[in-house]
Amino acid sequence: MFETKFCRADLIALAAVLLASILIFVCLSAFSERGGEAVVIFPDGSERRVRLNEDTEIHLEARGVHLTLVVGDGNVRVTESDCPGHDCERRGRISRTGEVIVCAPAGIVIRVEAGGEEVDGYAG
Amino acid sequence: MRADKNAARRTAVCASFAVLALGLSYLESLIPLELILPIPGVKPGLANLAVTLVMVYVSPGAAAAVSLTRVLLSALLFGSPASLFLSLCGAATSYAMLYCLWRAARKGFVRVSFAGVGALCAAAHAVGQIAAACLLFGTTAIITYLPVLASVSALIGTLTGLLLNAAVPLCDRAARTFGFSRS
């Protein structure tokens, strides 16, 4: 039977969840770096890659939802969207590998990847 | 005769709580919590209150039925196939956590109140939803939402749990008049 008074286990439970969250956050951050490109994944699985070192404005559409992406200063963000929740707009700028912007109504995921240069260097 | 009365009573109570869960779910969809906490999908998790009450006053099976009913009706009325999948996964992991805690508490392995239950069920719900989102969108990158979602959910879950801590002793009396005891 559950207690009805706040007890030690409750505090431990909450602390454990918070600690685990911080741990996961640290691990994710440690393994991420500034991304080279953003991948836009559409509901049908098709992808569109966008370099983050070139300032651009892109218009996307999926499942009847229109999104406007702006790339600038090495990051990407959703500036306009006609989806119901606008969570994607409020996500802000993403620039590190692994970071994502998700627009659920559109079924679109924008993910930052390392996207290195095609060649490591030039000789001659 | 006695068995019939009990079955009918349990059915009526479960149905009432299922509707309660649905109503609470709809109500909290009206609260724009996202204006204060800019995390997609963060909710007070009020439907969990109904499921927990059914778990302690009726049975685990009844609680599962109430949870499932709420998820299905909610998705049918207000959602989409995608939202159904996310909702189902979140509810499943949350229920699994609730059931484990309930069994552990009954056996005396842990002494935890509804606040701790709320925190852990909320965190479990977050994990379930993120996992579902990763499957749905075909990328594991969505896990970057997990730290913030899980910690905020756990905090809110503790608050709703504290609410239950205060309410359950009052519910005990009402439950007794209808022939239900808490376990």
Side-chain angles (χ1 to χ4, degrees):
Chain A
M1 202 156 104
F2 293 134
E3 305 288 322
T4 52
K5 284 207 177 315
F6 191 81
C7 35
R8 199 177 56 180
D10 297 324
L11 210 59
I12 296 173
L14 184 60
V17 174
L18 293 176
L19 232 88
S21 299
I22 294 173
L23 220 84
I24 296 175
F25 178 74
V26 166
C27 287
L28 289 174
S29 303
F31 286 111
S32 79
E33 51 182 354
R34 280 198 74 87
E37 62 184 12
V39 185
V40 181
I41 308 170
F42 294 90
D44 60 3
S46 63
E47 295 181 355
R48 179 173 166 180
R49 289 173 180 271
V50 182
R51 300 290 313 169
L52 292 178
N53 53 9
E54 298 155 5
D55 294 1
T56 34
E57 189 176 298
I58 301 165
H59 297 273
L60 306 166
E61 190 268 329
R63 294 200 186 141
V65 177
H66 299 85
L67 299 169
T68 306
L69 292 187
V70 168
V71 177
D73 287 329
N75 58 56
V76 61
R77 67 190 198 276
V78 175
T79 51
E80 259 184 80
S81 167
D82 54 17
C83 59
H86 299 283
D87 290 334
C88 45
E89 288 176 65
R90 268 176 295 124
R91 179 72 173 87
R93 300 169 159 79
I94 58 171
S95 58
R96 302 186 69 82
T97 56
E99 287 190 312
V100 283
I101 302 175
V102 178
C103 181
I108 283 181
V109 174
I110 304 153
R111 187 178 71 213
V112 175
E113 288 184 356
E117 299 295 329
E118 260 108 68
V119 293
D120 293 318
Y122 295 97
Chain B
M1 275 300 126
R2 204 141 167 243
D4 286 340
K5 235 173 131 181
N6 281 342
R9 196 180 294 154
R10 284 158 74 100
T11 308
V13 163
C14 287
S16 306
F17 274 96
V19 171
L20 176 68
L22 183 66
L24 288 170
S25 187
Y26 175 65
L27 225 98
E28 66 181 17
S29 75
L30 298 175
I31 307 172
L33 202 66
E34 281 139 347
L35 292 180
I36 315 168
L37 300 160
I39 310 157
V42 67
K43 288 272 165 257
L46 299 177
N48 177 259
L49 295 175
V51 177
T52 307
L53 284 173
V54 176
M55 177 72 94
V56 298
Y57 282 115
V58 188
S59 74
V66 168
S67 182
L68 187 63
T69 307
R70 193 273 300 185
V71 165
L72 290 174
L73 283 177
S74 192
L76 275 171
L77 292 172
F78 317 118
S80 61
S83 79
L84 172 63
F85 180 61
L86 292 176
S87 191
L88 208 61
C89 290
T93 49
S94 178
Y95 176 81
M97 176 65 78
L98 178 64
Y99 179 70
C100 292
L101 288 173
W102 181 74
R103 284 291 298 266
R106 273 194 104 188
K107 290 220 154 110
F109 291 151
V110 288
R111 265 192 55 202
V112 67
S113 81
F114 291 96
V117 171
L120 290 171
C121 286
H125 181 97
V127 169
Q129 284 217 306
I130 295 290
C134 287
L135 282 171
L136 197 65
F137 294 110
T139 168
T140 53
I142 308 207
I143 207 169
T144 46
Y145 282 124
L146 184 60
V148 184
L149 185 64
S151 39
V152 170
S153 296
L155 284 166
I156 298 180
T158 306
L159 290 176
T160 55
L162 287 173
L163 216 100
L164 269 187
N165 274 355
V168 161
L170 303 170
C171 291
D172 276 342
R173 297 189 56 194
R176 246 201 315 273
T177 60
F178 288 106
F180 288 96
S181 57
R182 186 154 57 97
S183 62

